[in-house]
Amino acid sequence: MRASILRDRLAGCSFVGNDLPYLDHTVTLDPRVRDVFGLPVAQVTWSPGKYEQVAQQFYIPLVKRMMTAAGAGVAFAVPDTLNSGGLPTGSHIMGGMMMGADAASSVTDPYGRVHGLDNVYVADGSVFVTSGAHNPTNTIMAVALRNMRHLAGTTG
């Protein structure tokens, strides 16, 4: 970057959101693929929903206008597509398994236990309500620690 002739002329803007939970978004065990221990690996079924598609088309012009108003000579958008192999792009997939006390409006309880299952907990970015455009690793670690402290019955 330091050697680039454009180093002081480029800026980027990321619009980060999360997917709504859909009944056809599932995680099951793959019937064919096994890990190094011979156990089935997770098989994720995902596709962009109508909400996500409409939201992208709504916000893209707004973000481009914001960039232009900030002084950008050129502003363009690269929306998410299915070209990523069928999964959302990025290192952390967020949303879709919201925490909450009400099983009708959330997937897990406030401490990550999946409603209706006594032995399944979630402690990753999928339980986030939303996230900023920064690396969420520390927040994911804090959520996991909080959930496990609750499970263990400790607070310290």
Side-chain angles (χ1 to χ4, degrees):
M1 290 294 292
R2 289 183 181 155
S4 171
I5 60 171
L6 298 176
R7 71 184 169 280
D8 59 348
R9 291 172 177 78
L10 291 176
C13 176
S14 295
F15 185 79
V16 180
N18 64 308
D19 292 347
L20 292 178
Y22 295 100
L23 291 176
D24 61 344
H25 290 182
T26 60
V27 179
T28 57
L29 296 177
D30 193 300
R32 294 175 303 275
V33 180
R34 304 284 176 167
D35 67 11
V36 296
F37 302 107
L39 300 171
V41 300
Q43 179 176 327
V44 178
T45 303
W46 178 91
S47 63
K50 184 69 171 174
Y51 170 82
E52 290 76 22
Q53 295 173 43
V54 170
Q56 276 189 19
Q57 295 311 309
F58 176 81
Y59 283 108
I60 285 172
L62 297 177
V63 172
K64 287 170 72 173
R65 279 199 299 272
M66 178 188 75
M67 297 295 287
T68 304
V74 177
F76 65 93
V78 181
D80 283 341
T81 67
L82 287 178
N83 293 337
S84 64
L87 291 177
T89 58
S91 299
H92 302 281
I93 300 172
M94 309 222 204
M97 295 188 74
M98 303 304 178
M99 285 193 218
D102 184 4
S105 61
S106 60
V107 176
T108 76
D109 73 8
Y111 295 96
R113 184 183 58 81
V114 175
H115 291 294
L117 300 173
D118 293 334
N119 63 345
V120 178
Y121 283 77
V122 179
D124 64 4
S126 67
V127 296
F128 288 12
V129 174
T130 189
S131 176
H134 300 284
N135 187 332
T137 301
N138 289 337
T139 306
I140 290 171
M141 291 167 52
V143 168
L145 179 61
R146 177 184 171 272
N147 291 358
M148 293 309 103
R149 283 181 174 164
H150 177 77
L151 179 63
T154 64
T155 58

